[in-house]
Amino acid sequence: MPVKPTTTVQVDVYFDLICPWCWIGKTHLDTARRLLAERMPGVQVQLRWHSVQLIPQTPPQGWPYQAFYEHRLGGPDAVRARRTQVQAAAARAGLTIHHERIAVFPNTWRAHRLLAFAAQQHPDQHEALLDALFVAFFVQGLDIGSDLVLASLAQAHGVDSSEVEAFDAPPLWAMPDGASGVPLFVFNQRRAVSGAQPPEVLLAALEANAQTAL
């Protein structure tokens, strides 16, 4: 059955920038979107990004990264085990995470504010800026809670950081009822898929929701 050219699947994505599973999940979603475009070229995917601060009590200057995770997970052995798991999942997505380069566990409020401003004022740059923030943190080990780091990333994407300072606080959405973590993908405000699921799971959800829109 042919797909109408106007068929749209809306995907609401709940995420935080300090969550490696969110970067992995976004990468899998990107793959699923590319596959959908090949299989069902008449379908448009509309993304809505919802900022979630997982650790809102993080001070503006952040915390020492290693110490934070040792306290949170119960010690260095637990941290190594978790990082091995994360790095294996990242590798399957074609990503490399450099935990050893990260010195600061950041407060992500300013970064979310920058993304909210970009979404409103520079929508064509929003997703590229989101990708750049993930890379800055997980690959380069930069402190994405730092105004200097954020100003540099903003400038690289044509965003005036001085305007961001005057922007209202970003809306940090609460998780939908029944949800327990990020990433969370909600398709057409009906079906929710939780976690960094592989591309084929996200593609199946996209295809199913495209068919119901016919």
Side-chain angles (χ1 to χ4, degrees), residues 141-163:
L142 299 178
D143 176 8
I144 59 170
S146 160
D147 288 333
L148 290 176
V149 170
L150 294 176
S152 177
L153 290 170
Q155 183 178 17
H157 290 82
V159 178
D160 186 342
S161 59
S162 65
E163 294 181 0

Side-chain angles (χ1 to χ4, degrees), residues 23 41 59 74 77 90 100 122 130 139 171 186 195 212:
W23 189 30
D77 290 342
E100 76 282 359
H122 304 272
L130 173 57
V139 178
V186 181
T212 59

Side-chain angles (χ1 to χ4, degrees), residues 10 12 48 186-191 209:
Q10 179 180 294
D12 289 272
R48 298 198 307 184
V186 181
F187 296 84
N188 284 344
Q189 301 184 28
R190 292 194 299 268
R191 177 182 176 183
N209 281 275

Side-chain angles (χ1 to χ4, degrees), residues 20-21 24 81-91 97 99:
W21 301 107
I24 294 167
R82 176 66 61 84
R83 288 180 182 170
T84 297
Q85 179 189 25
V86 168
Q87 287 170 333
I97 293 177
H99 294 287

Side-chain angles (χ1 to χ4, degrees), residues 100-122:
E100 76 282 359
R101 297 176 182 173
I102 305 174
V104 176
F105 182 88
N107 183 306
T108 56
W109 184 86
R110 292 180 181 84
H112 282 302
R113 179 179 62 176
L114 172 59
L115 283 171
F117 177 81
Q120 185 178 107
Q121 302 296 328
H122 304 272

